[in-house]
Amino acid sequence: MVDPSNNESSATYFILIGLPGWEEAQFWLAFPLCSLYLIAVLGNLTIIYIVRTEHSLHEPMYIFLCMLSGLDILISTSSMPKMMAIFWFNSTVIQFDACLLQMFAIHSLSGMESTVLLAMAFDRYVAICHPLRHATVLTLPRITKIGMAAVVRGTALMAPLPIFIKRLPFCHSNILSHSYCLHQDVMKLACADIRVNIIYGLIVIISAIGLDSLLISLSYLLILKTVLGLTREAQAKAFGTCVSHVCAVFIFYVPFIGLSMVHRFGKRRDSLLPIIMANIYLLVPPVLNPVVYGVKTKEIRQRILRLFHVTTHTSDP
């Protein structure tokens, strides 16, 4: 990657180390990770299939859920195949352009998922605080526009990322501390001033994750204010429709914020903590979201049980 006779050089490839100190165990750890990845893909595909085929579920909450499931599949798929190749085949080399593409995909898809979670919070706010206006506010064309806005926003926020990375010279190590490419990890290898990258990263986090989490919190404060004025039965019903989304919000934001804090304030690059948190961030939400919505949402749970019953019944001789 680097010519030692030069002070500065451009990267041509990076080395992904997987789990340092666990090289012998990585082969066996790949099996449960692969199983979790397959569960995530099948679980989210099941959610999409059920909502698509059940006309009664063609409502804003479930359409946004389909968007969330689709993004979960894409986020996990952007990193897990390469991670499996590292663990099983010791395929640790990743070309610079491939690293850049993976980095852009992970960060832009995360921004899109944050926007969808915000849209789901807005849906719950309108449904509970202004139920008579829900059908007119969240129409199918408007939901489509929200989905397109999520894609445009996530892409636009990450559009400068390739430029900021390609301008950096790399003249020391080409070994990344994760199993996939992250902006925070790559920029630390540069032998130049990375203040522009740091400022850019902070702007993205504040304008996307920070703003979205603030608006989601505000929407639930307004929901809580409305719900407390209802009867106990109505309160239970209202809270029941919000539980799944609240769980999805915590599942997404807690690992993301934790990973960002470790990268910004952690001192040791060889620590396992940020590596484990990075793997949790990309794999756990896609696995847990279908489980949470399948267990907590009555309509989804009933359709899953019905689908399972039909499958087992038709397979009987």
Side-chain angles (χ1 to χ4, degrees):
M1 170 190 140
V2 175
D3 182 357
S5 64
N6 296 332
N7 289 329
E8 294 185 357
S9 178
S10 298
T12 57
Y13 67 89
F14 293 107
I15 303 294
L16 300 168
I17 61 174
L19 297 173
W22 291 59
E23 286 78 10
E24 294 184 1
Q26 283 183 166
F27 180 85
W28 302 108
L29 287 173
F31 287 98
L33 287 175
C34 184
S35 299
L36 288 174
Y37 171 63
L38 293 176
I39 291 171
V41 173
L42 291 175
N44 285 289
L45 284 175
T46 300
I47 295 290
I48 294 172
Y49 172 78
I50 288 174
V51 174
R52 179 180 175 83
T53 55
E54 289 286 343
H55 182 73
S56 61
L57 297 181
H58 292 180
E59 298 178 2
M61 181 174 72
Y62 301 110
I63 297 174
F64 286 132
L65 176 58
C66 280
M67 295 181 189
L68 186 69
S69 295
L71 289 170
D72 279 340
I73 293 173
L74 293 175
I75 288 176
S76 58
T77 302
S78 66
S79 61
M80 288 306 297
K82 180 60 180 178
M83 195 183 301
M84 295 301 99
I86 295 170
F87 289 177
W88 276 333
F89 309 112
N90 199 31
S91 177
T92 57
V93 175
I94 184 168
Q95 297 301 316
F96 179 82
D97 289 337
C99 182
L100 203 61
L101 179 62
Q102 185 185 58
M103 194 189 316
F104 178 83
I106 290 172
H107 290 300
S108 60
L109 289 168
S110 297
M112 296 176 201
E113 181 151 340
S114 180
T115 306
V116 170
L117 287 170
L118 174 59
M120 296 174 80
F122 177 69
D123 167 66
R124 291 298 85 209
Y125 163 73
V126 177
I128 294 173
C129 299
H130 305 282
L132 298 179
R133 299 176 57 192
H134 186 248
T136 57
V137 171
L138 286 168
T139 61
L140 184 57
R142 193 162 291 167
I143 293 171
T144 304
K145 290 178 181 178
I146 291 174
M148 293 174 63
V151 174
V152 171
R153 183 193 187 209
T155 304
L157 284 172
M158 290 300 121
L161 180 61
I163 300 172
F164 289 143
I165 292 296
K166 283 190 173 183
R167 75 177 184 86
L168 295 175
F170 299 88
C171 56
H172 301 301
S173 174
N174 65 339
I175 300 176
L176 298 173
S177 61
H178 289 301
S179 305
Y180 55 87
C181 295
L182 281 175
H183 177 229
Q184 305 96 311
D185 200 19
V186 173
M187 71 177 183
K188 289 180 180 179
L189 297 181
C191 49
D193 190 352
I194 60 172
R195 280 181 294 182
V196 173
N197 293 69
I198 294 174
I199 294 171
Y200 165 69
L202 287 173
I203 291 173
V204 169
I205 289 177
I206 293 171
S207 61
I209 305 300
L211 179 61
D212 291 351
S213 58
L214 179 64
L215 292 175
I216 289 172
S217 301
L218 178 61
S219 68
Y220 273 103
L221 286 175
L222 296 174
I223 288 172
L224 182 62
K225 180 181 177 181
T226 300
V227 169
L228 291 178
L230 302 176
T231 63
R232 283 181 176 256
E233 184 178 350
Q235 286 179 355
K237 185 177 180 181
F239 281 130
T241 64
C242 296
V243 169
S244 299
H245 179 253
V246 172
C247 291
V249 168
F250 276 100
I251 289 169
F252 175 79
Y253 283 108
V254 170
F256 182 92
I257 294 173
L259 180 61
S260 298
M261 295 291 286
V262 168
H263 269 290
R264 300 208 175 272
F265 302 108
K267 300 299 182 183
R268 294 181 54 191
R269 293 190 72 254
D270 58 345
S271 173
L272 270 177
L273 178 60
I275 300 173
I276 294 172
M277 290 186 68
N279 293 338
I280 289 173
Y281 163 61
L282 287 191
L283 186 57
V284 171
V287 171
L288 290 185
N289 282 338
V291 175
V292 168
Y293 276 93
V295 172
K296 294 294 184 180
T297 308
K298 179 181 178 181
E299 293 78 7
I300 296 290
R301 183 174 67 250
Q302 288 177 340
R303 267 86 180 166
I304 291 175
L305 292 174
R306 187 192 306 170
L307 179 65
F308 177 76
H309 173 74
V310 170
T311 302
T312 56
H313 178 74
T314 55
S315 62
D316 291 338

